[in-house]
Amino acid sequence: MKSVEPLVISNREVLPLVEGGKGISISNGESSGAWAAAGGVATFSGVNADSRDADGNTVPQLYRGRTRRERHEELVNYAIEGALTQARITHEIAGGEGRIHINILWEMAAAERILYAVLDRAKGIVHGVTCGAGMPYRIAEICARYRVYYYPIVSSARAFRALWKRAYHRFSEWLGGVVYEDPWLAGGHNGLSNSENPQKPEPAYPRMRALRATMSGFGLENTPIFMAGGVWCLREWEDYIDNPEIGPIAFQFGTRPLLTKESPISDEWKQKLLTLNDGDVLLNRFSPTGFYSSAVNNDFLGELAARHNRQVAYTTEPIGEHSVSFPVGARRRTVYLTESDCARAKAWEDQGFTEALRTPDSTLVFVSPEKANQIRTDQIECMGCLSQCRFSNWACNPAGTNGKKADPRSYCIQKTLQKISHSNDVDNQLMFAGHNAFRFRSDPFYGNGFIPTVQELLDRLLTGD
């Protein structure tokens, strides 16, 4: 195993081991502070993080606004105070070691506004900003203004080229690195484009080599690339180290830090990670963002998949094979199905899925009355956590809507991620994870249910394993 040498990241020589940021209170001050204290690059989440009261207790994120706009303002305030709280905790625990980055999602609601507020009030604490989930053109300008480094997350050389030509070339001094995130292996939201097949993973090496070639063409041959998504141990990535085709490289770990003593996730979640099998993490497209995402296949994902499968196309007038009338909703308004789809719909109704909900794609989804009520309640209680949400039809614009019908095939992402991060329910909530999470079960480091400290994990990673 080649030795792993320190690398200059955010203007400090540190271990090239980066903690991947995980939102909604998962990468928090305690876990990230420990990572920085161990000499690595900590990444706490700025996505609706927890704030604390004067006694150190977590402040519940309760929404009292009567309108989505009012609840959206409450959410933004929670997000700012939470990110500042976790930045300060990370800074205190780090004790001046390592580097501290904040992770935000460009497609989260009011991303720019939140980032401005945090960087303005956390000067000298945050050294870098990692940003993905979209095309964050303006992240460079914002970071340059506050003299902190920016780290865009991309999944292809083409994406970085677009960012560079449109914006980043004007702020190259503050480009600290580029995070290449494997879109087939990473946990959470993935950067698969329409031209890529989600069922046919591509090897990382040619894509990273293309990214380095693109960066070198822009004079960025010495700017580090962070390899993210699918990184379990360094021994498997030895060919990338000291490789002129790849250049300076750091390795980002998102899934392994979940299973540490400092990780804030529940004991039930940690134990669940120790039981996963290969294939238990699914790449799916149920997210209200419209992006692909990877999560553990539990009852939550199972219900979404079943809901999606109980779906038929309809027309509002008899057209072609859509000639069989079918009453829908409380007013029993007539739509038209094909003969075979009508038979399927009636079979679903006989099974108790008697509520037919319309989708933006002119289909009907059949659910139970209890599930229909939950879906409608969640849509009504939307707090505007995304820049655009297909589930509730919210959008961060003057109209407060994306102009489309709300989509009952998706879910309230804020609700489920808050619940899994603040409870022990690992079966009925969304549980993001990378596709290598099954390796907890077979890795001898975790034998007999061993859960390391962050320091012990970094020591282990430096051995190559």
Side-chain angles (χ1 to χ4, degrees), residues 48 53 68 96 160 263 270 277 312:
N48 291 105
D53 62 21
R68 284 183 180 179
F160 178 74
S263 170
K270 292 177 183 180
N277 294 309
V312 294

Side-chain angles (χ1 to χ4, degrees), residues 203-437:
Y205 190 88
R207 295 169 70 90
M208 283 189 69
R209 184 175 57 198
L211 175 59
R212 174 58 72 191
T214 297
M215 292 171 63
S216 296
F218 298 140
L220 303 172
E221 56 273 2
N222 294 318
T223 300
I225 293 175
F226 293 3
M227 176 61 214
V231 181
W232 185 262
C233 62
L234 297 184
R235 194 176 305 281
E236 297 170 347
W237 300 86
E238 190 172 7
D239 291 345
Y240 290 62
I241 301 171
D242 296 328
N243 184 327
E245 289 191 319
I246 300 298
I249 186 171
F251 295 92
Q252 181 166 302
F253 299 84
T255 297
R256 287 189 78 170
L258 286 170
L259 203 57
T260 60
K261 286 186 165 63
E262 294 88 347
S263 170
I265 68 175
S266 68
D267 289 340
E268 288 79 6
W269 192 341
K270 292 177 183 180
Q271 292 305 312
K272 181 73 172 180
L273 290 171
L274 289 167
T275 68
L276 297 179
N277 294 309
D278 191 3
D280 279 350
V281 174
L282 297 183
L283 184 63
N284 65 86
R285 209 170 189 178
F286 298 127
S287 171
T289 63
F291 296 130
Y292 282 95
S293 68
S294 295
V296 173
N297 185 20
N298 57 8
D299 290 346
F300 181 86
L301 277 193
E303 190 281 325
L304 283 167
R307 192 192 310 175
H308 188 273
N309 289 333
R310 291 192 302 272
Q311 183 175 190
V312 294
Y314 73 89
T315 59
T316 56
E317 299 290 339
I319 301 174
E321 293 185 354
H322 286 77
S323 59
V324 182
S325 62
F326 190 86
V328 172
R331 298 183 181 180
R332 312 303 288 168
R333 290 182 174 173
T334 298
V335 298
Y336 294 88
L337 310 180
T338 66
E339 186 173 343
S340 61
D341 282 346
C342 186
R344 294 167 66 205
K346 289 180 178 178
W348 293 327
E349 288 185 325
D350 290 341
Q351 296 167 21
F353 304 108
T354 55
E355 295 287 321
L357 305 180
R358 302 186 192 221
T359 79
D361 299 322
S362 296
T363 64
L364 299 177
V365 172
F366 288 79
V367 298
S368 68
E370 295 78 14
K371 179 59 67 174
N373 183 62
Q374 177 196 315
I375 290 170
R376 293 186 183 108
T377 299
D378 289 346
Q379 290 171 336
I380 291 169
E381 293 178 350
C382 170
M383 69 288 288
C385 70
L386 299 173
S387 63
Q388 294 195 58
C389 177
R390 68 177 186 173
F391 175 66
S392 68
N393 89 354
W394 158 268
C396 282
N397 58 31
T401 175
N402 61 17
K404 300 178 181 178
K405 284 187 172 112
D407 195 333
R409 296 168 294 186
S410 189
Y411 54 87
C412 176
I413 194 167
Q414 181 74 202
K415 173 186 171 183
T416 186
L417 291 181
Q418 288 287 354
K419 283 192 173 182
I420 196 169
S421 65
H422 296 96
S423 76
N424 59 9
D425 184 0
V426 297
D427 295 319
N428 303 297
Q429 307 302 333
L430 179 66
M431 187 194 302
F432 282 143
H435 287 258
N436 274 337

Side-chain angles (χ1 to χ4, degrees), residues 177-193:
V178 178
V179 182
Y180 169 77
E181 186 175 75
D182 189 297
W184 290 275
L185 295 177
H189 290 104
N190 306 71
L192 282 168
S193 69

Side-chain angles (χ1 to χ4, degrees), residues 19-33:
E19 174 194 19
K22 296 167 286 294
I24 314 292
S25 311
I26 303 306
S27 293
N28 70 354
E30 282 82 3
S31 62
S32 297

